[in-house]
Amino acid sequence: MKCLLVSLLIACSALAAQGAEVPVLDPPAPQVGVIGVDEVFRGQRGYGLSVFAGTVPERFEVEVIGVLRNLSPGTSLIMAKLSGQGLEQSGVIRGMSGSPVYLDGRLAGAVAYGWAFSREAIAGITPIGDMREIATSPPAAGRTGSSGRSGRAPALSFEQLTSLSWPADLLTTELARLVQRPALGLGSSPLLFAGSGFGERSSALLADALGGVGAAGSGLGPAGSPQGGGAGPQPGGVVGAVLVGGDLQLAAMGTVTDCYGDTVLAFGHPFVGSGSLNLPMALGEVVTVVPTMDSSFKLTNLGPVVGAIEQDRRPGLVGRMGGEAPTVPVVIRLRGEAPREFRVFLATDLTEYLPSLLATSVFGAVDVVGKQRGDQQVDLSARFLVAGHGEVRVAQSFAGERSALDSVSFLLGVADQLLNHGLADVALEAVEVEVELAEGARLVAVTGAHADRARARPGDRLRLTVDLRSPEGESRRESVELTLPSELPEGRYTLLVGDGASVRTARLGLEPQRPRSVPEVLELLRTLRSRRELLVLGVVPGRGLAFDGRPMPQLPGTARSLLAPESTPLPRNVGLRSAVAQEVTKPLDTPVSGLARVEILIDREGKGTR
């Protein structure tokens, strides 16, 4: 699909301004000329094009204030005052990013920056020469999936993820990284984030993280898969970089600056400044403009995906009509009184943002169906299908007023560990998430535990009784039977009993691990345990060692003397004070929380045992 040339719009806009009937014309062949920064002067007048309602670009007036030269080496910015279309009251509108500006009938650049609370619509305009230059940069060739080498560490350490301990604003903080802060006092870019399908709390979270999100309707058709169709982009028309599509949608919306052949230039400023990029590119329409005292914005409908954004650099974005960007399908199934299924697709190229986009999508789905206020129990399970490595399944339970947000923070942490470990490329083929919603907080506390004997021999069958208390104060008990390992040494044997997350955290403290390959990352994630599991960990006084992040319990004395930290300069060796001898799991019908300790004496000769 070829882009429409701007010359037709210029002629039509001028005739419409004069009240004349606009004739039907064949698109002219010549490409509109450009004007260089050196030809721009104070007081010069021109006009711009942007959509203020519908899909047809409309004219607004431009008066040059001057040129900010050499903001950075070789970079200048045209400063201008905008008027018409209500801009005198609204100021520069979010969603105008990329609106083309014409001086002396030639294309000068794109509206790129504005200032909140400004008394006039003062705009910074990126020169078109800078934008066309990036169109010659190599595209994102060969980028077909998410990469595990995003250049950043996961937001949560594995210890935080295991212990279910993270900042309350984790999702907000991670989403806020999508917002780029302009340098050198350039105000803010009039970039618009538009979302649809989200509930009250998730919409508020998006607005807080992204500096405001305009409501967006859907024009994508059947949920879950991008599709093309419709008219092509045109200068001044609406264009979006799609992050989430399907039943829930989130996109960065802006305006087309220039198009020729299959190339589309837009925004006039970077999105996240990633350089090469591969995001779905969609068209859109404007429902209306909402003027505010702070920063006015457009209400938009997101239209069909027609190509891919392939460059994200300081002067703007470069898209290609017909290009295909990688996405991962996500199915979100909600169980409970109002079961529902959501199907979305996530842009996978921006790996470091993919975990927060996944978490936001699930939070949006839960927000639509779940309670808006009060205590709620959330049981979450997720299945990640990883290309070439099989699947990773995790499950966890949460209760309380923050249960929905905590559950998606856990999901964010898992996905972040899976994708942003810095070891090798990883591609997600699919994600499935199931969420069970229930009224009230039902975490049952572990208050104590005891064994049916104080002394035992290796190989004996032991019965543990665990004391539990419900939030209403009701007591109950669970029992766990285990067979003691036959190789246990004489002496004290400690049994840690509790919910899966607490006991797994304790084990991680005893056996610190640092994965060195993708399979090791996946295996570590597979060891995560749920609060719906009662876990028993048997621990003996340690004779082991963690070498380079991998536990080696029960080492012979000779090996320990050779590798122990005190006898070797290798800093990666850590002596283990205790070693894990066994682990026993019992599934529960309700989530529990807490940890208890039971001590027994191992007597290999059977003295005093029964």
Side-chain angles (χ1 to χ4, degrees):
M1 185 186 300
K2 303 296 183 181
C3 297
L4 300 178
L5 296 176
V6 72
S7 300
L8 178 60
L9 283 170
I10 298 172
C12 291
S13 178
L15 288 171
Q18 298 171 8
E21 182 178 352
V22 178
V24 178
L25 301 174
D26 293 328
Q31 182 175 292
V32 65
V34 300
I35 184 171
V37 174
D38 291 340
E39 300 178 77
V40 174
F41 54 89
R42 182 180 181 86
Q44 195 172 15
R45 293 181 179 272
Y47 66 93
L49 294 174
S50 197
V51 175
F52 298 92
T55 59
V56 178
E58 297 181 82
R59 173 175 173 146
F60 59 89
E61 304 305 314
V62 175
E63 180 182 352
V64 174
I65 298 172
V67 176
L68 288 173
R69 301 186 184 277
N70 203 34
L71 288 171
S72 60
T75 300
S76 298
L77 199 66
I78 302 169
M79 301 301 300
K81 182 168 66 175
L82 314 183
S83 60
Q85 303 295 339
L87 291 169
E88 296 89 344
Q89 290 76 40
S90 67
V92 179
I93 301 165
R94 281 189 288 132
M96 287 186 71
S97 291
S99 296
V101 170
Y102 303 90
L103 300 173
D104 293 339
R106 292 177 288 168
L107 182 58
V111 172
Y113 300 101
W115 284 260
F117 300 107
S118 174
R119 294 185 178 181
E120 295 182 299
I122 304 299
I125 298 168
T126 297
I128 188 60
D130 294 352
M131 297 183 69
R132 287 189 172 177
E133 184 177 351
I134 63 172
T136 62
S137 300
R143 297 179 66 160
T144 57
S146 54
S147 165
R149 292 180 283 195
S150 65
R152 62 174 291 267
L156 297 179
S157 67
F158 192 77
E159 288 77 11
Q160 288 176 293
L161 183 59
T162 305
S163 62
L164 309 181
S165 173
W166 44 72
D169 61 349
L170 174 66
L171 181 52
T172 302
T173 300
E174 287 299 294
L175 279 173
R177 295 173 58 250
L178 282 166
V179 180
Q180 300 299 297
R181 310 298 178 186
L184 299 174
L186 291 179
S188 61
S189 62
L191 174 66
L192 172 70
F193 284 96
S196 68
F198 295 90
E200 177 185 340
R201 290 180 303 168
S202 50
S203 294
L205 184 144
L206 283 169
D208 185 33
L210 302 177
V213 175
S218 173
L220 282 172
S225 62
Q227 59 181 351
Q234 53 186 317
V238 181
V239 67
V242 182
L243 301 171
V244 180
D247 290 339
L248 300 165
Q249 296 180 351
L250 181 65
M253 305 297 290
T255 302
V256 176
T257 306
D258 191 17
C259 52
Y260 45 92
D262 288 333
T263 300
V264 178
L265 304 181
F267 282 31
H269 58 75
F271 174 31
V272 294
S274 62
S276 292
L277 187 62
N278 212 343
L279 293 182
M281 180 176 68
L283 304 182
E285 68 171 340
V286 176
V287 177
T288 189
V289 171
V290 179
T292 69
M293 295 294 292
D294 177 7
S295 182
S296 303
F297 59 92
K298 298 179 180 181
L299 292 179
T300 64
N301 284 321
L302 188 63
V305 170
V306 295
I309 303 292
E310 295 185 338
Q311 299 288 330
D312 173 21
R313 302 184 185 274
R314 185 201 55 75
L317 304 186
V318 180
R320 180 170 60 87
M321 295 295 295
E324 294 186 7
T327 59
V328 58
V330 178
V331 179
I332 306 167
R333 298 185 181 93
L334 302 181
R335 312 295 187 193
E337 294 183 359
R340 186 169 171 182
E341 183 174 285
F342 292 77
R343 291 183 176 270
V344 301
F345 63 87
L346 307 180
T348 61
D349 193 65
L350 292 175
T351 312
E352 59 184 296
Y353 304 104
L354 183 55
S356 58
L357 296 177
L358 172 62
T360 300
S361 300
V362 176
F363 186 49
V366 172
D367 193 23
V368 170
V369 176
K371 290 178 59 176
Q372 297 297 311
R373 298 289 185 271
D375 291 338
Q376 181 176 220
Q377 180 174 310
V378 176
D379 294 306
L380 179 142
S381 62
R383 172 179 175 265
F384 297 87
L385 187 59
V386 185
H389 296 281
E391 65 179 25
V392 173
R393 292 178 180 267
V394 296
Q396 196 51 265
S397 295
F398 301 88
E401 192 168 357
R402 286 183 46 85
S403 57
L405 193 55
D406 282 339
S407 67
V408 299
S409 296
F410 171 76
L411 187 65
L412 186 157
V414 171
D416 214 9
Q417 284 284 339
L418 181 63
L419 296 172
N420 292 307
H421 40 67
L423 296 170
D425 290 351
V426 173
L428 284 179
E429 294 182 340
V431 181
E432 296 178 4
V433 180
E434 289 199 4
V435 182
E436 181 86 22
L437 303 172
E439 292 279 350
R442 297 188 300 179
L443 275 184
V444 176
V446 175
T447 59
H450 63 273
D452 61 356
R453 72 192 76 175
R455 301 170 70 96
R457 291 176 298 184
D460 279 357
R461 191 78 173 164
L462 196 69
R463 183 185 184 90
L464 290 179
T465 300
V466 184
D467 299 319
L468 305 172
R469 184 178 296 275
S470 72
E472 296 77 25
E474 298 177 356
S475 298
R476 55 175 282 197
R477 286 181 169 178
E478 288 284 348
S479 62
V480 183
E481 293 192 356
L482 61 152
T483 300
L484 299 178
S486 59
E487 69 275 10
L488 281 180
E490 283 195 341
R492 177 170 53 87
Y493 188 47
T494 302
L495 296 169
L496 300 178
V497 189
D499 69 275
S502 296
V503 176
R504 185 68 184 92
T505 301
R507 178 162 190 168
L508 195 63
L510 295 172
E511 298 178 343
Q513 294 177 267
R514 186 173 71 249
R516 296 172 297 177
S517 66
V518 173
E520 290 182 10
V521 170
L522 271 56
E523 191 56 39
L524 199 55
L525 289 172
R526 293 181 181 118
T527 66
L528 291 171
R529 293 291 178 261
S530 169
R531 283 169 167 164
R532 280 187 175 270
E533 295 174 296
L534 194 60
L535 210 60
V536 180
L537 198 67
V539 180
V540 296
R543 292 181 293 125
L545 191 76
F547 178 72
D548 200 17
R550 295 180 61 81
M552 296 185 293
Q554 299 299 315
L555 284 175
T558 53
R560 181 176 176 82
S561 65
L562 289 173
L563 294 176
E566 58 269 19
S567 61
T568 178
L570 295 177
R572 298 172 296 178
N573 303 341
V574 179
L576 301 179
R577 292 175 296 175
S578 300
V580 175
Q582 69 180 130
E583 183 177 295
V584 178
T585 304
K586 179 180 180 179
L588 297 175
D589 58 2
T590 186
V592 299
S593 178
L595 190 65
R597 180 185 181 119
V598 176
E599 301 280 0
I600 64 172
L601 185 64
I602 301 299
D603 184 355
R604 296 191 66 86
E605 296 184 3
K607 297 177 182 179
T609 61
R610 57 181 177 85

